[in-house]
Amino acid sequence: LLAEAERLGQECVEVQRQAEKDCGGLASRLQMLEQALEEHESRAHQLEEQHRLQTEDLQQHIDALEKQLKNNR
């Protein structure tokens, strides 16, 4: 019975070590994923701003061409 209790105690320690190792790995992976998400969101924001500026520029160009067309009529 004493040997069984000692074996179970060692098994418990091993399980706890493995759980701590897994937890550390998962925490590291989570940090990497959070960083990747932040980078992705930043890039998406940059692309959105770039698209907005291009749209504004094109709209101004269209307005200028329409004004020119109106004056040429």
Side-chain angles (χ1 to χ4, degrees):
L1 186 60
L2 187 57
E4 180 68 12
E6 186 176 318
R7 185 187 67 77
L8 289 174
Q10 288 177 348
E11 186 177 318
C12 183
V13 168
E14 285 301 316
V15 168
Q16 186 173 355
R17 282 184 191 148
Q18 186 62 43
E20 289 171 356
K21 180 181 174 185
D22 291 347
C23 184
L26 290 172
S28 176
R29 180 73 175 137
L30 177 60
Q31 186 178 15
M32 288 172 43
L33 288 171
E34 287 173 338
Q35 182 179 2
L37 177 60
E38 287 175 9
E39 291 171 1
H40 179 73
E41 288 175 338
S42 176
R43 179 67 178 142
H45 181 71
Q46 289 174 350
L47 290 173
E48 181 181 357
E49 183 65 13
Q50 181 181 356
H51 177 72
R52 186 187 65 77
L53 291 173
Q54 287 175 342
T55 301
E56 279 182 13
D57 185 49
L58 289 172
Q59 186 60 52
Q60 289 175 358
H61 190 63
I62 289 170
D63 293 344
L65 289 173
E66 286 177 343
K67 184 177 179 181
Q68 183 180 6
L69 181 62
K70 182 180 177 183
N71 290 336
N72 288 343
R73 285 184 180 168

